[in-house]
Amino acid sequence: MPHKPPTQEELEKRKIVGINLETVTDVQSTDFPGHYPGEDHAWDIERFKKGFSVEFHQNDPYEASFSLIGCDASIANAFRRIMIADVPTLAIENVFIWNNTSVIQDEVLAHRLGLIPFTGGREGLHDFLKWFKKPAEGEQPNCTDYNTVELALNIKCEHNENADPNETDPTKLYHHAHVYAKDIVFKPIGRQAHYFSGENAIRPVNPDILIAKLRPGQEINLTMHMHKGVGSDHAKFSPVATASYRIMPTITINQPILGRDAEKFQKCFPKGVIGLEKVTAKEAAQKGSGYEGYEGKLKAVVVDPKSDTVSREALRHEEFKDKVKLGRRRDHFIYLVESTGQWESDAIFLESVQHLKEKAKSLEKQLINMVR
């Protein structure tokens, strides 16, 4: 017998992962050939284009939130991992300490300096600066203006002769009692002065990052070399503070929730997820709607399911168990990307797309060569 094609309602149902009181159902993937008899689920680029979309919810320089809709979890996770580990940034790699009489050990001080995020001119950071090749054993490092950025930190703590004799605040009693990221000096060499000058100068993203505390007689004298790197080598090179995604929550109200129950139902979710509206005359007059005779009463409606944390609190109440169905849409991924400052948050995602394309081309080339 010929197979009956699925309805649109059935297709939408297949996309939902069921969230029950104590279990999660329908977690298996269903988008591959042979899962449903008589249906062709082979991947097709035109079908993918038709069902895929990107929606931005927030797009600030240091934080972006957006949705990828219509792609597989493997692709969504690939973008996340690339943003964390494969997008290159500039960070302090080598610290040459000439004098450090602070209470912080040399190794700890170098580690703290390495974790300070820096920024600068986009053209210089992403186009002019190239990768630094580590020298082999016995070779001298080849540090040039296009692969190495030099910084310096020379600071000494001294008494403030103008301080009040009764003053107890160290920052007023002494000069340079606290060493901040803003005390690091960028020393351009060669063509770096062209790419990194004025507003484009290399500088800490946050100038008030505390590096060390000094007391009179203590000083720090060091130079630093910055190189390009990726997060897979060290977390200091990661362009993001965090890059995560979650699957879009779904909330389906199957039966009317009215009056005080509606107010109680609203409190089961984070603020803004569930709203309260009055039952209209049209709804109250419609037979079988469940609103007959309740005109003017409050009813619960879903306003913003994206903000739900899927706590399942509503399912713990007997009066709501049969009235609401919770789930997650398996092909809708909500990303949160927080930039450390060297890349704009949305540019990090676009760069991850380019990296994935390059990885796919490389894999294709290797397969062709293997067949040959």
Side-chain angles (χ1 to χ4, degrees):
M1 293 194 53
H3 178 74
K4 185 178 180 181
T7 62
Q8 187 61 34
E9 183 180 355
E10 174 63 23
L11 291 175
E12 289 298 320
K13 186 178 179 181
R14 292 177 185 176
K15 296 179 181 178
I16 304 300
V17 175
I19 305 296
N20 305 313
L21 180 59
E22 296 181 350
T23 60
V24 178
T25 58
D26 303 315
V27 296
Q28 71 279 4
S29 178
T30 59
D31 53 353
F32 57 89
H35 190 91
Y36 294 103
E39 296 182 28
D40 181 16
H41 288 268
W43 193 83
D44 179 75
I45 188 169
E46 294 302 325
R47 183 163 53 192
F48 174 77
K49 288 180 180 179
K50 186 178 179 181
F52 181 75
S53 62
V54 180
E55 296 178 1
F56 268 84
H57 312 301
Q58 176 186 357
N59 191 11
D60 298 327
Y62 293 160
E63 184 172 321
S65 176
F66 56 91
S67 290
L68 292 189
I69 305 170
C71 69
D72 187 75
S74 59
I75 302 298
N77 196 49
F79 287 136
R80 182 189 68 84
R81 292 179 65 89
I82 290 172
M83 285 189 282
I84 292 173
D86 288 344
V87 176
T89 63
L90 191 70
I92 295 172
E93 178 72 358
N94 298 314
V95 180
F96 305 94
I97 299 177
W98 312 116
N99 189 17
N100 173 27
T101 55
S102 71
V103 296
I104 300 180
Q105 300 94 328
D106 292 354
E107 295 83 356
V108 177
L109 179 60
H111 184 264
R112 289 177 67 85
L113 291 167
L115 293 176
I116 297 174
F118 285 80
T119 188
R122 182 179 177 84
E123 184 182 0
L125 289 173
H126 304 319
D127 299 329
F128 171 69
L129 290 178
K130 309 301 179 185
W131 295 95
F132 176 81
K133 185 178 180 181
K134 292 185 179 180
E137 188 174 352
E139 291 183 355
Q140 291 295 323
N142 181 27
C143 295
T144 66
D145 59 348
Y146 61 80
N147 66 15
T148 303
V149 173
E150 185 175 339
L151 305 171
L153 178 60
N154 299 305
I155 200 160
K156 183 177 182 179
C157 183
E158 297 175 331
H159 284 281
N160 180 9
E161 296 178 355
N162 298 322
D164 190 313
N166 298 320
E167 183 62 65
T168 58
D169 186 353
T171 60
K172 296 179 180 178
L173 276 173
Y174 317 120
H175 295 298
H176 305 303
H178 292 176
V179 183
Y180 295 100
K182 61 187 175 185
D183 296 318
I184 296 175
V185 179
F186 166 53
K187 303 177 71 175
I189 55 176
R191 288 169 294 173
Q192 291 178 0
H194 171 71
Y195 291 97
F196 304 112
S197 61
E199 294 182 354
N200 293 327
I202 290 180
R203 62 197 184 278
V205 174
N206 185 347
D208 295 325
I209 294 176
L210 182 65
I211 298 173
K213 293 183 179 181
L214 302 180
R215 290 299 177 264
Q218 296 180 346
E219 64 179 300
I220 295 175
N221 177 235
L222 54 84
T223 57
M224 296 156 277
H225 284 178
M226 303 178 75
H227 300 307
K228 265 191 173 183
V230 291
S232 56
D233 289 335
H234 195 287
K236 66 184 177 184
F237 292 114
S238 181
V240 296
T242 183
S244 62
Y245 67 79
R246 57 193 178 92
I247 306 175
M248 177 70 172
T250 62
I251 305 169
T252 305
I253 298 177
N254 298 319
Q255 300 177 27
I257 302 176
L258 304 164
R260 291 185 178 179
D261 281 352
E263 295 176 1
K264 181 179 179 180
F265 185 73
Q266 185 185 46
K267 294 177 181 179
C268 293
F269 296 86
K271 187 177 180 180
V273 175
I274 300 297
L276 299 177
E277 296 179 359
K278 289 185 177 181
V279 177
T280 64
K282 183 178 179 180
E283 289 173 328
Q286 185 178 353
K287 293 184 179 180
S289 66
Y291 296 118
E292 299 97 322
Y294 292 102
E295 181 182 350
K297 281 206 167 187
L298 292 177
K299 65 173 181 177
V301 295
V302 180
V303 177
D304 182 20
K306 177 173 61 67
S307 300
D308 186 27
T309 57
V310 195
S311 66
R312 313 187 199 189
E313 176 63 28
L315 300 180
R316 296 188 177 97
H317 302 276
E318 290 293 333
E319 60 267 39
F320 301 140
K321 277 188 177 181
D322 298 326
K323 294 183 178 181
V324 63
K325 177 64 178 177
L326 303 181
R328 285 184 181 268
R329 184 171 169 178
R330 68 173 78 248
D331 66 343
H332 187 149
F333 303 92
I334 306 170
Y335 282 81
L336 176 63
V337 179
E338 296 181 11
S339 170
T340 56
Q342 199 166 124
W343 289 79
E344 291 186 351
S345 51
D346 58 344
I348 296 174
F349 171 66
L350 296 177
E351 186 69 12
S352 72
V353 175
Q354 184 62 34
H355 275 260
L356 186 59
K357 288 173 65 177
E358 292 173 359
K359 288 175 182 288
K361 289 178 181 178
S362 176
L363 177 60
E364 181 185 31
K365 185 177 180 180
Q366 292 178 37
L367 289 173
I368 292 173
N369 293 335
M370 184 176 66
V371 172
R372 288 177 180 172

